[in-house]
Amino acid sequence: MAATYDVIVLGLGGMGSAAVDQLAARGVRVLGLEKFGPVHSRGSSHGGSRVTRQSYFEDPAYVPLLLRSFELYERLQEDTGRQVATLCGGLMLGRPDSRTVAGSLKSATQWDLPHEMLDAREIRRRFPTLTPGDEDVALFERRAGLVRPESTVAAQLQLATQAGAELHFEEPVTRWEPYRDGVRVHTAEDTYTAGQLVICPGAWAPQLLDDLGVPFSIERQIMYWFQPAGGVDPYLPERHPIYIWEDTEGVQIYGFPAIDGPDGGAKVAFFRKGSICTPETIDRTVYDHEVDAMAAQSARLLPTLPGSFLTASTCMYSTTPDEHFVIARHPAHPSSVTVACGFSGHGFKFVPVVGEILADLAIEGTTAHPIELFDPSRLSAAPV
């Protein structure tokens, strides 16, 4: 006979680990299933750091979720003693009419978020690692910074286990299906049933959610670490903020302070400059021409950063056509299945609040959080 639970969560990366944490904390009998080991580097929840910010250029509708996520990250840090967030400040740089600057200012203004607008001269004075062009400006946000994906996932899994969640690693799901009043999940090892299923598939969304009707694009992305010329001291978090810079061609790069010690360098990457792949076909090798392109672009803003190349790592974006998330009850299985996917390269800062939303949807069938933007019906004619 198949083991039975209140809720099964598929995928224990950022969103799935947040979901099992929230569900277990509410006294739900929850099973978490993960294809790989805990805190793995095969998907989208690794690489040492992710940007977090509140003046959100993607859409002002995200801001209430960000404010709650900041609260939950602080609580996660307090509850586990793990360092999961560093608020070192953040700069959104570019021409005044760029999406990065204008969109950030729109959100900051609409939600009355504390911020400063800096011209190029003031940017260079306050942050001497940066040399923006004379026409560039920046929105500076003191409460921006970074979150640590591996520490976050580990902390959430820790709390989930302490609260009684049952977590299975190295147990890939082969398929799931409606079963009686709930769902049945088949893995390489066993079969399980539950009243509710929460699917957090990351880059495996096309396989596990092929009936959702959403045209996901899975993209290979690269993160780079360079040792700055002259050392990392000017790049320490108390001196150097996170940043997103958009050039006149609309190309965005983002980067971080040096958080990995004197030999760890500083991380930088292109935002949305990837190639289509699948989890099975992604090329994990990073080539010289890719390193050269990253070094050349970053040198336009941070002349000492390219310095010497240290290392690089690949990850995957799961992108929707409009680059907004999918968080909802499954349109074809609204009484028993909840989905969270398509985070399009900007989801990790939302991890703890997405966990809260998923627990709400699985237990209550609804949530007080504003998630209308993330309804999959906007993208497809998914069956209802």
Side-chain angles (χ1 to χ4, degrees):
M1 180 179 293
T4 300
Y5 300 84
D6 297 323
V7 185
I8 297 174
V9 177
L10 304 190
L12 296 177
M15 306 305 175
S17 63
V20 292
D21 175 14
Q22 287 283 338
L23 287 162
R26 301 185 195 189
V28 171
R29 188 177 182 216
V30 58
L31 169 67
L33 296 170
E34 169 56 50
K35 180 181 181 71
F36 302 108
V39 197
H40 64 83
S41 61
R42 304 293 296 278
S44 307
S45 298
H46 62 282
S49 56
R50 292 289 187 276
V51 167
T52 189
R53 50 195 164 90
Q54 295 180 355
S55 300
Y56 218 59
F57 62 76
E58 285 84 351
D59 196 300
Y62 285 90
V63 173
L65 298 178
L66 287 162
L67 297 176
R68 178 57 176 163
S69 192
F70 270 61
E71 294 174 352
L72 292 174
Y73 265 116
E74 289 177 1
R75 182 187 300 176
L76 183 64
Q77 200 156 259
E78 293 169 359
D79 289 347
T80 63
R82 296 176 183 265
Q83 185 177 11
V84 298
T86 300
L87 299 184
C88 56
L91 287 169
M92 306 300 112
L93 301 114
R95 298 297 174 91
D97 61 350
S98 66
R99 182 190 185 204
T100 302
V101 175
S104 297
L105 182 59
K106 179 180 178 181
S107 283
T109 302
Q110 179 172 324
W111 291 98
D112 196 25
L113 300 173
H115 67 282
E116 299 175 70
M117 293 304 301
L118 310 179
D119 62 19
R121 181 177 179 180
E122 183 65 6
I123 297 165
R124 293 190 290 260
R125 186 187 71 81
R126 291 173 60 171
F127 306 103
T129 49
L130 303 171
T131 57
D134 290 341
E135 301 301 316
D136 283 343
V137 299
L139 181 145
F140 177 64
E141 188 176 37
R142 291 192 181 277
R143 283 188 58 77
L146 62 95
V147 293
R148 300 171 184 261
E150 291 91 344
S151 293
T152 297
V153 173
Q156 291 174 158
L157 294 177
Q158 173 189 330
L159 292 179
T161 301
Q162 291 171 354
E166 185 176 331
L167 307 180
H168 294 190
F169 298 98
E170 307 288 350
E171 188 170 343
V173 171
T174 56
R175 62 188 175 94
W176 62 272
E177 61 198 1
Y179 178 72
R180 296 179 180 172
D181 294 329
V183 294
R184 181 162 55 189
V185 176
H186 302 269
T187 75
E189 305 294 331
D190 211 335
T191 300
Y192 309 96
T193 62
Q196 295 290 322
L197 177 64
V198 176
I199 304 177
C200 303
W204 287 262
Q207 294 98 311
L208 287 172
L209 292 172
D210 60 348
D211 63 342
L212 190 60
V214 174
F216 299 104
S217 297
I218 308 305
E219 302 170 6
R220 171 184 177 267
Q221 302 287 339
I222 308 172
M223 302 169 281
Y224 303 83
W225 287 258
F226 293 91
Q227 184 71 357
V232 299
D233 281 358
Y235 288 82
L236 294 177
E238 58 269 26
R239 300 172 183 167
H240 181 76
I242 63 96
Y243 56 90
I244 300 176
W245 173 55
E246 181 177 339
D247 71 11
T248 56
E249 302 300 317
V251 176
Q252 292 171 303
I253 65 170
Y254 66 96
F256 300 85
I259 60 172
D260 298 319
D263 300 319
K267 177 183 167 185
V268 65
F270 285 104
F271 190 37
R272 306 194 190 288
K273 187 181 180 181
S275 56
I276 300 300
C277 68
T278 70
E280 292 74 32
T281 63
I282 181 173
D283 187 348
R284 300 283 182 179
T285 300
V286 177
Y287 298 94
D288 289 346
H289 73 272
E290 294 174 316
V291 175
D292 292 343
M294 185 75 260
Q297 186 73 358
S298 59
R300 296 174 59 195
L301 180 67
L302 307 102
T304 64
L305 180 59
S308 58
F309 172 65
L310 295 176
T311 190
S313 178
T314 58
C315 69
M316 289 179 282
Y317 286 4
S318 307
T319 301
T320 64
D322 62 6
E323 298 175 357
H324 294 310
F325 308 159
V326 172
I327 306 174
R329 286 290 208 167
H330 194 305
H333 313 283
S335 64
S336 58
V337 181
T338 300
V339 298
C341 50
F343 289 96
S344 303
H346 62 112
F348 203 90
K349 61 185 70 65
F350 297 89
V351 155
V353 72
V354 171
E356 195 169 64
I357 291 166
L358 294 176
D360 291 344
L361 293 175
I363 296 171
E364 307 294 338
T366 187
T367 181
H369 289 295
I371 61 170
E372 294 80 10
L373 181 61
F374 312 137
D375 188 332
S377 66
R378 74 188 193 273
L379 300 170
S380 69
V384 296

